[in-house]
């Protein structure tokens, strides 16, 4: 079984910074991708950033230049450094791990979610 635990959320003033962590445990495939999503009240969950086990990353336009995703493969932990936070960044932040594998000749995929951590940006 795979378990993801997020931490690091909280209340911060506009312009401030937070660092989120996501620790993965269980039976993991070494080649995987990890993502940060967020969901604000009344809105759909949206992809914030993604990083592969090789270190390639991508960001949503709304956070480019302000957020940095990283990971420590030895610790199976992913991070999200959030700088210059804005009130519109307020949301529950979720991490996800996913990978694909072959079952016979068919490709399948697994994905697992964390429970989420609240980030509130307000003065």
């Amino acid at each position: 079984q795979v378990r993801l635990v997020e931490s690091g959320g909280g209340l911060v003033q506009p312009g401030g910074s937070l660092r989120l962590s996501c620790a993965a445990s269980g039976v993991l495939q070494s080649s995987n991708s990890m993502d940060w999503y967020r969901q604000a009240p009344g809105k759909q969950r949206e992809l914030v950033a993604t990083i592969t086990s090789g270190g390639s990353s991508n960001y949503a336009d709304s956070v480019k230049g302000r957020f940095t995703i990283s990971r420590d493969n030895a610790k199976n932990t992913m991070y999200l450094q959030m700088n210059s936070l804005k009130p519109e960044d307020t949301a529950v932040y979720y991490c996800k791990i996913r990978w694909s594998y072959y079952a016979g000749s068919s490709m399948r995929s697994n994905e697992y979610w964390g429970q989420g951590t609240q980030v509130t940006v307000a003065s």
Side-chain angles (χ1 to χ4, degrees):
Q1 189 66 290
V2 175
R3 185 178 182 220
L4 299 176
V5 179
E6 299 103 332
S7 60
L11 173 64
V12 64
Q13 292 186 341
S17 298
L18 281 176
R19 188 192 194 208
L20 306 183
S21 299
C22 172
S25 60
V27 180
L28 307 175
Q29 180 164 304
S30 58
S31 178
N32 60 68
S33 292
M34 297 185 78
D35 312 308
W36 284 104
Y37 283 76
R38 66 186 181 187
Q39 187 167 20
K43 295 188 176 181
Q44 288 191 332
R45 192 172 295 189
E46 63 172 351
L47 178 63
V48 175
T50 187
I51 188 167
T52 68
S53 49
S56 297
S57 59
N58 281 292
Y59 299 89
D61 288 342
S62 59
V63 306
K64 279 181 182 177
R66 300 188 298 122
F67 290 10
T68 302
I69 190 171
S70 62
R71 61 188 290 170
D72 183 336
N73 290 334
K75 296 181 179 179
N76 290 324
T77 301
M78 173 177 65
Y79 307 95
L80 186 68
Q81 178 66 44
M82 304 185 294
N83 299 328
S84 302
L85 283 161
K86 305 175 181 180
E88 51 263 43
D89 294 318
T90 295
V92 177
Y93 284 69
Y94 299 90
C95 65
K96 184 177 81 172
I97 188 169
R98 52 187 169 87
W99 60 79
S100 299
Y101 64 97
Y102 278 98
S105 60
S106 300
M107 178 171 279
R108 299 185 180 180
S109 60
N110 284 340
E111 63 178 45
Y112 301 90
W113 291 85
Q115 82 289 350
T117 185
Q118 176 71 47
V119 171
T120 303
V121 184
S123 53

